[in-house]
Amino acid sequence: MRTSSSYQLPATSVVALAGGVGGAKLAHGLQMALPAGALTVLVNTADDFRLWGLYISPDLDTVMYTLAGVANPETGWGVAGDTWQAMEMLGRYGRDAWFRLGDRDLATHILRTQLLAEGRTLSEATRDLATSLGVENSILPMCDQAVQTLVQTPDGTLDFQDYFVRRRHSDRVTGITFRGIEEATPGAETISALDSASVIIFCPSNPYVSIAPILAVPGMRDAIARSGAIKVAVSPIVGGTALKGPASDMMSALGHEVSPVGVAGMYKGLVDGIIIDELDRELAPRIEAMGMAVSTTNTIMKSDGDRVELARHALGFCESLARRTEVAR
Ligand code: FO1
């Protein structure tokens, strides 16, 4: 869905940092609110892994399918109307198909794996796939090098999808590391998008396993800090819990307050402001005391209308912060 009355910030070019379903929903809202081509979504790839010989990039695909309008509306990941015959056949071969890959989704993994085997970078393969699906905005992996999130638990260190999907994120998390991050580097397109951005939005994605890996790519924090863009985060924590996934469990296990105040603390120094849900309105003064501007609105995205409303609100908040900065000069 693209609305005809696109919100226009002057000279807008927007970078959204995203991972997972919440991030993809706001990226979709931004796509609907902005002119085609104005948005770059910078996506976590530390969830990527190989399965059945295929290179799977769950967050890139969730963003790509969502922007292409083909995401499964029930799960948020995978393709709408997909079938599961390949998984059923793997079951007949006696294999544990714990990570559910739909038949159409499998085509994406087959083609991406082939493109990478031919020597294309992950950025190039992503552009090829997204363009074919009709996506008019840029989707960029956080880097082209292999980085893997490892989750430390009392039962030992787990690969991310083992922790997240196979074990249903039920283990207590004692630490998170990103294997290979030292060798990672932001791509030239990422640096150029951040340099020329007027707005950078941290989507309501898990701060530990979606946004933190992006920020951990050497040079990324500096590139964001150097950018003249207005930077705003949207809290993924509403009313003391995460809308989806293990973010709130991770926050309490890792010693952060499970609230937008805890989220603000994690992004302090990186963003100019944070959007929190109306339900958390009373927490605004505590965040403002940290030197961060706060705006409240409905952040729960149940419909396409909610996505575009939140995107417009975020862009409007950025515009008001830009005006405030102008006045202060
Ligand atoms: N999440 C699940 O909870 N179960 C699955 O079987 C599953 C399969 C899957 C297949 C392709 C894909 O792109 C994503 C998939 N996800 C699945 C979601 C995904 O693993 C997580 O949401 C992210 O890694 C966390 O951002």
Side-chain angles (χ1 to χ4, degrees), residues 72-188:
N72 181 328
E74 273 103 51
T75 55
W77 50 265
V79 181
D82 217 339
T83 50
W84 304 95
Q85 304 212 10
M87 293 297 104
E88 279 160 31
M89 199 65 185
L90 282 167
R92 285 182 64 185
Y93 287 126
R95 305 300 156 127
D96 177 13
W98 58 275
F99 195 81
R100 310 277 301 152
L101 297 169
D103 299 324
R104 291 177 191 168
D105 190 27
L106 266 172
T108 305
H109 311 309
I110 291 168
L111 182 54
R112 179 190 291 111
T113 306
Q114 174 69 21
L115 292 169
L116 294 173
E118 287 167 2
R120 310 266 206 106
T121 63
L122 186 58
S123 302
E124 289 165 347
T126 304
R127 190 184 315 121
D128 188 324
L129 296 167
T131 306
S132 303
L133 291 184
V135 178
E136 294 175 312
N137 289 299
S138 295
I139 303 174
L140 298 177
M142 66 186 205
C143 62
D144 282 325
Q145 297 76 22
V147 175
Q148 284 166 309
T149 297
L150 299 177
V151 182
Q152 280 85 49
T153 75
D155 267 5
T157 297
L158 305 173
D159 288 342
F160 180 75
Q161 298 299 347
D162 196 14
Y163 156 79
F164 193 89
V165 174
R166 200 204 294 250
R167 297 166 71 106
R168 297 167 197 264
H169 46 78
S170 56
D171 297 84
R172 187 163 59 82
V173 175
T174 55
I176 296 165
T177 50
F178 307 120
R179 182 162 59 200
I181 198 78
E182 302 80 12
E183 267 65 64
T185 132

Side-chain angles (χ1 to χ4, degrees), residues 19-21 44 47 49 56-59 61-62 65 77-78 97-102 105 109 160-161 164-165 209-210 244:
V21 174
N44 169 44
D47 295 6
F49 71 127
I56 322 274
S57 190
D59 285 1
D61 288 344
T62 297
Y65 294 149
W77 50 265
W98 58 275
F99 195 81
R100 310 277 301 152
L101 297 169
D105 190 27
H109 311 309
F160 180 75
Q161 298 299 347
F164 193 89
V165 174
V209 293
S210 294
K244 201 172 189 296

